[in-house]
Amino acid sequence: MAKRLEGTPRADGFRMPGEFEHHAGCWILWPERTDNWRNGAKPAQKAFRDVAKAIARFEPVTVGVNESQYSAAREMLPENIRVVEMSNDDSWVRDCGPTFVVNEAGEVRGVDWSFNAWGGLVDGLYFPWDKDDKVARKICEMEGKDSYRLDDFVLEGGSIHSDGDGTAIVTEACLLSEGRNPDMTKEEIEQKLKDYLGVEKVLWLPNGIYLDETNEHVDNIVHYVAPGKLVLAWTDDESDPQYPLSKSALDYLEKETDAKGRKLEIVKLHIPDEVLITKEESEGVDTVDGTLPREEGDRQAASYANFYIANGAVILPLFGDKIHDEAAKKTLQEVFPEREIVGVFAREIILGGGNIHCITQQQPSGQ
Ligand code: KQY
């Protein structure tokens, strides 16, 4: 039986592990909403299937699906992928799923943040979001994991990274945004992170990726690859609006140390050429009041930093930009010499506003 817990992970001796630590498996939710995914979500479903298949080569994958799409998803996905019925409003399990924490004995628990679709009625991306907000509890109960619920604190998994060794990293643009916890000070927010992620230090980047509709989630601009070491989405083009955002992140990280007093090692990962929505892509999305529109020519927040680290592999979004796709693969192979770098063409995912990291949630094994 999975219980709701009082107290905090930190007080109970739990910490959020680094994504590079061992996983019991990975969770994904199936896309279907036609006001976010073009052409009845069929192209996106194929991309999600490709991601699920790529990860399933390395660790168990479970896909949660609304009842209306259960049979179609079960048909599209291979048998080694578990498919379960799970109501959701959209498919971003990184954000609405649990953040898992572990202790020294290898026990695993979930943290169930309040979810409000990236800003609620202030600047959220759709309404309602009540099904998404129940996903974390459902996953924890299915897995028999006790969980901590925060009714008074809005957060998404994509807005935090942990090095597993005492340090978390976030962006000010996201965590201090009006639509999340407007009545809390930065210090109070930082204390919540310390208590629920089991960290001693929080690094605050000013910004994330240009035009990222999540108020600039940290998981699109940096990724911890080991304690003390991060990759940073970068551009050499000083006229690109991303340049000042990446430069200020670099300046900040070069001056900072982490909870263990280490200087941070930063590896630059050049962003792809601009990804712009085409007329055909825009026309395939239903226009619905209250959902972010997808207009022809809109630039998407494309970044290679939004990869997923699986057991023995890295699942990397590719954009069909030969030079930068190849460069990203090469850089990550150098960063992760022991892991296979598996590229998945992810244009259909970025058209929905996120990427491979945003559609996945690792469940640590605690080992
Ligand atoms: O990037 C993410 N973590 C989520 C993106 C949500 C986009 C909703 N349209």
Side-chain angles (χ1 to χ4, degrees):
M1 277 295 286
K3 301 185 294 294
R4 286 302 214 191
L5 300 163
E6 299 299 324
T8 68
R10 185 172 149 109
D12 295 343
F14 283 73
R15 66 175 176 100
M16 181 184 173
E19 194 173 314
F20 40 80
E21 294 181 47
H22 192 261
H23 299 175
C26 175
W27 288 84
I28 291 179
L29 296 172
W30 198 240
E32 71 163 278
R33 59 183 301 152
T34 56
D35 57 353
N36 195 54
W37 304 105
R38 74 189 183 107
N39 299 356
K42 287 299 154 200
Q45 289 172 358
K46 289 187 182 136
F48 276 56
R49 176 200 58 196
D50 293 346
V51 172
K53 281 172 73 174
I55 298 171
R57 285 181 50 216
F58 302 94
E59 61 192 40
V61 175
T62 304
V63 177
V65 190
N66 278 309
E67 186 276 333
S68 54
Q69 281 290 315
Y70 172 79
S71 300
R74 183 58 287 175
E75 194 60 34
M76 270 180 79
L77 291 161
E79 277 183 357
N80 66 334
I81 294 178
R82 177 169 70 154
V83 181
V84 298
E85 207 173 295
M86 187 173 290
S87 312
N88 61 81
D89 299 293
D90 202 1
S91 44
W92 308 98
V93 74
R94 171 67 51 191
D95 294 339
C96 64
T99 297
F100 287 105
V101 290
V102 301
N103 70 1
E104 286 288 299
E107 291 172 82
V108 178
R109 293 177 175 175
V111 179
D112 177 0
W113 318 98
S114 283
F115 178 81
N116 72 355
W118 309 276
L121 300 181
V122 176
D123 59 354
L125 300 178
Y126 50 71
F127 175 87
W129 51 79
D130 55 305
K131 294 191 187 80
D132 284 344
D133 195 29
K134 297 188 186 98
V135 164
R137 183 171 202 171
K138 290 178 183 176
I139 289 177
C140 288
E141 291 198 3
M142 285 180 77
E143 293 295 301
K145 304 298 180 199
D146 295 343
S147 60
Y148 303 89
R149 167 68 181 179
L150 291 90
D151 280 321
D152 60 347
F153 188 66
V154 173
L155 194 87
E156 304 96 42
S159 70
I160 48 171
H161 265 310
S162 164
D163 74 344
D165 197 28
T167 305
I169 187 163
V170 301
T171 70
E172 292 182 346
C174 179
L175 268 78
L176 305 183
S177 62
E178 264 307 296
R180 288 180 173 81
N181 302 292
D183 299 328
M184 291 176 77
T185 63
K186 182 174 176 181
E187 291 67 34
E188 288 168 336
I189 291 172
E190 181 163 315
Q191 193 56 50
K192 278 276 189 220
L193 297 176
K194 288 177 173 170
D195 289 341
Y196 284 85
L197 302 178
V199 296
E200 288 96 55
K201 182 160 184 177
V202 179
L203 300 174
W204 290 84
L205 298 180
N207 292 100
I209 293 289
Y210 177 61
L211 295 181
D212 186 324
E213 62 197 51
T214 63
N215 307 95
E216 304 174 32
H217 269 182
V218 78
D219 71 343
N220 216 11
I221 185 162
V222 293
H223 207 136
Y224 259 115
V225 295
K229 184 167 178 181
L230 300 116
V231 296
L232 166 67
W234 182 256
T235 175
D236 292 325
D237 178 359
E238 296 189 17
S239 68
D240 190 301
Q242 182 55 40
Y243 183 82
L245 309 186
S246 290
K247 179 72 168 73
S248 60
L250 181 66
D251 291 345
Y252 172 84
L253 291 168
E254 282 180 342
K255 286 195 199 93
E256 269 297 341
T257 53
D258 66 13
K260 294 287 187 293
R262 285 179 288 241
K263 290 286 293 172
L264 299 161
E265 186 182 344
I266 314 298
V267 178
K268 291 177 181 167
L269 201 54
H270 204 288
I271 57 171
D273 287 343
E274 278 191 315
V275 174
L276 305 176
I277 301 182
T278 65
K279 181 166 188 289
E280 188 194 347
E281 288 166 347
S282 165
E283 285 173 354
V285 181
D286 290 344
T287 304
V288 168
D289 196 23
T291 304
L292 196 75
R294 302 274 171 221
E295 309 281 9
E296 178 186 356
D298 281 355
R299 173 168 163 164
Q300 298 304 98
S303 157
Y304 297 105
N306 208 287
F307 55 80
Y308 176 75
I309 307 176
N311 294 337
V314 170
I315 316 301
L316 173 68
L318 301 179
F319 300 97
D321 168 346
K322 269 209 169 108
I323 293 178
H324 293 118
D325 283 2
E326 277 311 309
K329 267 195 224 164
K330 184 166 174 288
T331 303
L332 286 174
Q333 192 65 78
E334 285 161 11
V335 167
F336 292 108
E338 311 284 309
R339 293 180 201 252
E340 188 177 334
I341 310 300
V342 182
V344 176
F345 186 59
R347 182 177 178 93
E348 294 297 337
I349 309 176
I350 194 62
L351 288 176
N355 222 313
I356 292 176
H357 196 253
C358 311
I359 67 161
T360 51
Q361 181 62 253
Q362 71 277 2
Q363 181 175 331
S365 64
Q367 305 311 311

